[in-house]
Amino acid sequence: MLSTKINDMINTQINWEFWSGYLYLAMANHFESVGRKGLANWFRIQYREEFDHALIFINYVHARGGKVTLAPIAEVPQTWDSPLQAFAHTLEHEQAVTRRVHELYALAEAEHDIATRQMLNWFVAEQVEEEESAQQIIDNLTLVGEDGTGIFQIDTELGQRTYSVPAPLAGKA
């Protein structure tokens, strides 16, 4: 059974994951509306991943006999001046998510909740990938600057991204 503190903090994280999904869906909508279908694709996949992350936490709370309490989702930004600005926002956001996962891990460690720490190991590794991916795209966008051909190539590359079900949800309905 989850402690009340861990259950509450996971519920906060569930809300944060849903908010993250909304943020990325807003980014997808923004880039779709300005003709950057590859960027829109990348952010749509990111939206799906964030909702999956929420579902992983929800499934975990249920498996441990806790209670899931969904909270309202706060408003998200709707526009960005450039792809570089959107990905800088993405990196900043993912770094905040990483801090939250680490805080949850520290609480589980303080409460000697080994099962929660084990579940969170997947999220710790996932956050390393999320930050690295955003940073690589920022590096590429910075390299090409305002060059239309470079932006076109990055947009095309990001359009090739495909969705993969996260390992903790594989084989589950």
Side-chain angles (χ1 to χ4, degrees):
M1 174 145 272
L2 292 173
S3 74
T4 301
K5 284 170 98 174
I6 289 177
N7 196 135
D8 290 348
M9 197 167 190
I10 290 175
N11 276 317
T12 300
Q13 188 64 32
I14 290 167
N15 182 267
W16 189 256
E17 298 293 343
F18 281 132
W19 189 89
S20 298
Y22 271 48
L23 173 66
Y24 293 135
L25 188 57
M27 288 176 167
N29 290 331
H30 169 75
F31 286 108
E32 185 77 31
S33 73
V34 297
R36 297 281 180 247
K37 293 187 181 301
L39 286 128
N41 175 67
W42 193 92
F43 283 116
R44 264 192 306 279
I45 290 170
Q46 203 64 16
Y47 143 78
R48 291 180 70 186
E49 285 186 2
E50 299 304 335
F51 271 56
D52 282 347
H53 294 171
L55 187 56
I56 293 166
F57 279 113
I58 288 168
N59 290 345
Y60 180 76
V61 169
H62 288 305
R64 293 289 309 278
K67 179 171 175 43
V68 173
T69 305
L70 299 178
I73 306 298
E75 186 174 352
V76 298
Q78 300 293 317
T79 60
W80 291 266
D81 293 334
S82 67
L84 182 58
Q85 183 189 45
F87 278 98
H89 188 181
T90 296
L91 179 58
E92 179 182 300
H93 176 70
E94 290 300 337
Q95 290 167 336
V97 172
T98 298
R99 284 190 298 277
R100 297 174 72 85
V101 168
H102 290 178
E103 289 168 6
L104 185 51
Y105 192 97
L107 176 61
E109 195 166 58
E111 293 200 5
H112 307 289
D113 186 339
I114 296 166
T116 298
R117 284 181 13 215
Q118 180 64 32
M119 180 273 297
L120 289 170
N121 283 334
W122 183 86
F123 282 98
V124 170
E126 175 71 5
Q127 284 310 119
V128 170
E129 291 177 21
E130 297 286 4
E131 289 184 31
E132 180 183 30
S133 176
Q135 186 62 61
Q136 286 176 343
I137 295 167
I138 288 169
D139 291 346
N140 289 338
L141 288 167
T142 301
L143 180 66
V144 302
E146 298 294 318
D147 177 65
T149 302
I151 298 289
F152 173 77
Q153 287 177 327
I154 291 170
D155 188 59
T156 300
E157 179 183 324
L158 296 180
Q160 303 304 310
R161 183 181 186 199
T162 59
Y163 172 76
S164 298
V165 175
L169 293 179
K172 296 184 180 183

